[in-house]
């Protein structure tokens, strides 16, 4: 078998075809190539990186998708070191702003609470959530003790049962919007617990210093993917959406718009919902269809607003804000050293994506004026990105698994079917939902397939 696949011709063949050129697919390819196998990565979009995408505002590169790496994200940090990428500390000096129920407050720490009553309620609800985390098996949450019970209700119903105060609910709604791209009523409690436990608990999930938001990638996260793809040379093919995969005991035949690829194994890294956009012949067992149906992608949008300087720092503000009013619900300061001031705003797609670009910009700037004062009304540039409106593989950051979905269909995340193996961040145990998790799953699937190919070649000699 040749070391690389010639994709100039319409019909090509090799050892492994990988669907998707995000962190999972590219990492799987890198591992397989290192073992001497022939690989082709087919990507439906016209770019690599998947949910990592760079944009530009005021001449500065920004992350429309994945942004931060934690200290403990060692897989992504190892990859960055090999590819010459570096980190920049997330700016978090000063006090944060909370805009809740029409009132502006300032706060410090990880979780935004201001009054003693609110703090007391959070101090009651957060440990209750953390108690539940202890029993979660992050590698197979649906097999944890009490999994059936935990999966039978939504996160919102659980908050109801706790009689959580309005302030605690508002905070958890923001966590839900930013993590699963949905409201607490739309996501299973078990799914929420799985994601929180897999990233080291609620504090680690939400913290800047020592937490998941500690560092940004100086060159942008998509640049890591671009460098990894460049090293894979012509093994990565863009604009090649996979429409159909035929499979039998001898191999797989993958049909894209550009080519038909025959390989011995396939690794599919598309998110669960997007797996269903591929026609499998013969059809996959019902559990795989159920998974795609009940793990719909959430949606999230991001806006970047640039100013001559990060003026809020002069007022002792960190640029971090949480708000319950309007499309913007969180902001962060992502200004480069010595450059313009840039605020990154997470926006709720339901009241944002359908508006005209000018209206979106006006709404965001108006909210920033509420949060940071009149100077925020004079931006020098603006850009945004709505993940839910992407034409290919839309949505993100993560699926919002419905109640009862994980217990019924969770096994289908990772269970290979014949010669089809699965990777992608949704299939991760530890670090599910992160670039780090995606890399680990790509490597895992590559090693599984390489071991099977090795056994096959031994038995054929
Ligand atoms: C707004 C946002 C913010 C985020 N913030 C962070 C963060 O700060 N830190 C962090 O670690 N993570 C973050 N994430 C999550 C992170 O981006 C993902 O966990 C990670 O990039 C997933 O990688 P993946 O390879 O598993 O999937 P993807 O990146 O989704 O890659 C899958 C690829 O498969 C392709 N594909 C799908 N179907 C087909 C098909 N039929 N044929 C061909 N190709 C197909 C897709 O186009 C895509 O390129 C964020 C995500 C979003 C959207």
């Amino acid at each position: 078998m040749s070391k690389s696949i010639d994709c100039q011709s319409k019909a090509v063949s090799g050892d492994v075809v990988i669907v998707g050129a995000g962190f999972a697919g590219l990492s799987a390819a890198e591992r397989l190539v290192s073992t001497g196998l022939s690989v082709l990565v087919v990507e439906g979009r016209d770019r690599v990186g998947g949910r990592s995408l760079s944009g530009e505002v005021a001449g500065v590169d920004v992350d429309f998708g994945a942004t931060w790496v934690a200290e403990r994200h060692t897989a992504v940090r190892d990859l960055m070191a090999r590819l010459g990428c570096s980190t920049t500390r997330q700016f978090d000096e000063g006090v944060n702003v909370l805009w809740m129920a029409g009132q502006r407050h300032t706060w410090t720490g990880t979780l935004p609470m201001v009054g003693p009553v609110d703090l007391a309620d959070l101090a009651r609800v957060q440990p209750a959530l953390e108690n539940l985390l202890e029993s979660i098996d992050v590698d197979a949450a649906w097999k944890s003790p009490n999994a059936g019970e935990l999966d039978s209700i939504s996160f919102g119903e659980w908050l109801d049962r706790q009689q959580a105060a309005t302030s605690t609910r508002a905070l958890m709604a923001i966590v839900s919007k930013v993590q699963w791209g949905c409201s607490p009523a739309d996501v299973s409690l078990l799914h929420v617990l799985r994601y929180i436990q897999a990233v080291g608990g609620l504090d680690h999930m939400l913290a800047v210093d020592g937490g998941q938001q500690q560092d940004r990638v100086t060159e942008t996260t998509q640049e890591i993917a671009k460098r990894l793809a460049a090293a894979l040379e012509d093994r990565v093919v863009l604009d090649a959406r996979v429409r159909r995969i035929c499979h039998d005991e001898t191999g797989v035949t993958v049909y894209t718009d550009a080519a038909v690829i025959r390989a011995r194994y396939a690794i599919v890294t598309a998110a669960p919902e997007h797996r269903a956009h591929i026609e499998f012949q013969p059809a996959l067992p019902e559990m795989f269809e159920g998974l795609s149906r009940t793990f719909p992608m959430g949606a999230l949008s991001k806006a970047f607003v640039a100013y001559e300087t990060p003026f809020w720092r002069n007022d002792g503000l960190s640029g971090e804000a949480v708000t319950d009013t309007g499309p913007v619900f969180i902001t962060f300061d992502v200004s480069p050293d010595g450059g313009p001031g840039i605020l990154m705003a997470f926006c709720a797609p339901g009241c944002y994506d359908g508006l005209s670009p000018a209206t979106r910009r006006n709404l965001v700037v108006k909210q920033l004026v509420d949060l940071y004062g009149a100077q925020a009304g004079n931006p020098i540039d603006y850009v945004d990105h709505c993940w839910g409106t992407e034409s290919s593989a839309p949505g993100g950051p993560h699926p919002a698994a419905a109640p009862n979905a994980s217990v019924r269909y969770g096994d289908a995340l990772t269970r290979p079917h014949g010669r089809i193996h699965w990777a992608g961040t949704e299939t991760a145990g530890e670090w599910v939902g992160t670039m780090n998790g995606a890399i680990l799953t790509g490597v895992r699937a590559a090693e599984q397939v390489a071991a099977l190919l090795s056994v096959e070649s031994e038995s054929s000699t």
Side-chain angles (χ1 to χ4, degrees):
M1 190 68 65
S2 66
K3 292 277 186 286
S4 69
I5 298 169
D6 171 15
C7 200
Q8 299 307 310
S9 63
K10 282 276 179 191
V12 290
S13 63
D15 291 318
V16 186
V17 61
I18 297 168
V19 181
F23 279 94
L26 295 171
S27 301
E30 186 191 41
R31 181 55 61 103
L32 288 166
V33 168
S34 75
T35 64
L37 292 163
S38 59
V39 170
L40 192 68
V41 183
V42 280
E43 167 56 50
R45 291 178 163 117
D46 61 359
R47 61 171 183 82
V48 300
R51 279 169 268 174
S52 273
L53 172 63
S54 313
E56 198 212 283
V57 68
V60 177
D61 291 334
V62 291
D63 289 299
F64 283 157
T67 304
W68 291 289
V69 287
E71 195 66 52
R72 291 160 60 193
H73 288 176
T74 50
V76 74
R77 283 179 184 269
D78 288 349
L79 183 61
M80 288 171 62
R82 284 193 283 118
L83 297 171
C85 293
S86 57
T87 56
T88 299
R89 197 90 176 177
Q90 172 60 48
F91 183 83
D92 71 338
E93 290 166 27
V95 295
N96 312 319
V97 177
L98 174 68
W99 182 280
M100 194 74 54
Q103 303 267 342
R104 185 179 182 280
H105 312 269
T106 53
W107 57 285
T108 54
T110 304
L111 293 169
M113 284 288 148
V114 282
V117 176
D118 294 342
L119 279 169
D121 192 66
L122 187 65
R124 181 180 66 81
V125 175
Q126 190 179 350
L129 193 69
E130 274 156 8
N131 277 345
L132 296 177
L133 293 177
E134 282 169 21
S135 68
I136 302 296
D137 170 359
V138 291
D139 291 321
W142 40 94
K143 293 188 177 143
S144 308
N146 300 334
E149 194 186 330
L150 297 173
D151 206 26
S152 69
I153 59 169
S154 70
F155 185 30
E157 275 176 85
W158 182 79
L159 289 167
D160 287 346
R161 289 184 191 182
Q162 300 304 307
Q163 300 187 329
T166 308
S167 55
T168 302
R169 283 164 183 284
L171 175 64
M172 293 303 164
I174 288 169
V175 171
S176 186
K177 282 196 277 186
V178 79
Q179 293 295 332
W180 302 284
C182 68
S183 79
D186 294 329
V187 60
S188 138
L189 174 63
L190 181 67
H191 186 72
V192 164
L193 296 172
R194 173 187 170 215
Y195 271 64
I196 296 176
Q197 179 68 345
V199 299
L202 195 61
D203 281 334
H204 190 262
M205 180 184 247
L206 302 180
V208 173
D209 199 18
Q212 292 242 114
Q213 281 70 237
Q214 180 172 293
D215 293 308
R216 290 186 286 115
V217 177
T218 315
E219 298 80 7
T220 74
T221 60
Q222 194 193 9
E223 181 61 22
I224 310 171
K226 284 182 181 169
R227 292 185 189 182
L228 184 51
L232 291 165
E233 301 175 337
D234 58 2
R235 296 178 184 91
V236 182
V237 182
L238 302 178
D239 285 320
R241 192 187 300 193
V242 172
R243 307 282 180 183
R244 185 156 41 113
I245 300 180
C246 299
H247 53 107
D248 59 27
E249 60 284 357
T250 63
V252 295
T253 308
V254 174
Y255 295 83
T256 74
D257 294 339
V260 179
I261 305 143
R262 181 76 190 156
R264 293 161 74 191
Y265 282 90
I267 296 176
V268 177
T269 71
E273 178 189 330
H274 303 142
R275 291 181 187 179
H277 301 168
I278 303 170
E279 181 190 352
F280 291 90
Q281 282 185 348
L284 298 179
E286 201 275 331
M287 68 182 293
F288 292 97
E289 287 170 28
L291 178 81
S292 294
R293 211 172 44 242
T294 57
F295 272 58
M297 286 303 262
L300 183 61
S301 303
K302 268 191 186 181
F304 294 83
V305 190
Y307 299 91
E308 294 287 356
T309 61
F311 63 86
W312 52 90
R313 294 183 187 180
N314 299 334
D315 298 329
L317 299 176
S318 65
E320 188 177 338
V322 170
T323 156
D324 70 346
T325 314
V328 174
F329 55 94
I330 299 185
T331 73
F332 279 96
D333 176 341
V334 293
S335 314
D337 287 344
I342 301 176
L343 288 170
M344 173 172 77
F346 288 89
C347 303
C351 56
Y352 182 76
D353 292 5
L355 304 171
S356 71
T359 308
R360 293 202 299 265
R361 176 187 164 121
N362 289 343
L363 283 175
V364 171
V365 170
K366 184 174 171 299
Q367 270 191 273
L368 295 183
V369 170
D370 288 340
L371 297 170
Y372 297 110
Q375 267 184 284
N378 301 309
I380 57 169
D381 201 4
Y382 173 94
V383 68
D384 62 24
H385 188 82
C386 304
W387 283 93
T389 65
E390 290 251 315
S391 57
S392 188
H398 310 304
N404 300 310
S406 299
V407 162
R408 286 183 72 184
Y409 304 119
D411 265 341
L413 282 167
T414 51
R415 186 187 293 178
H417 182 72
R419 287 177 176 266
I420 300 164
H421 287 241
W422 312 101
T425 196
E426 285 73 24
T427 72
E430 198 179 26
W431 306 122
V432 66
T434 66
M435 295 177 284
N436 204 73
I439 293 168
L440 295 175
T441 68
V443 171
R444 182 208 68 221
E447 288 176 351
Q448 282 172 351
V449 167
L452 290 166
L453 282 166
S454 164
V455 170
E456 284 174 22
S457 68
E458 274 167 28
S459 58
S460 68
T461 52

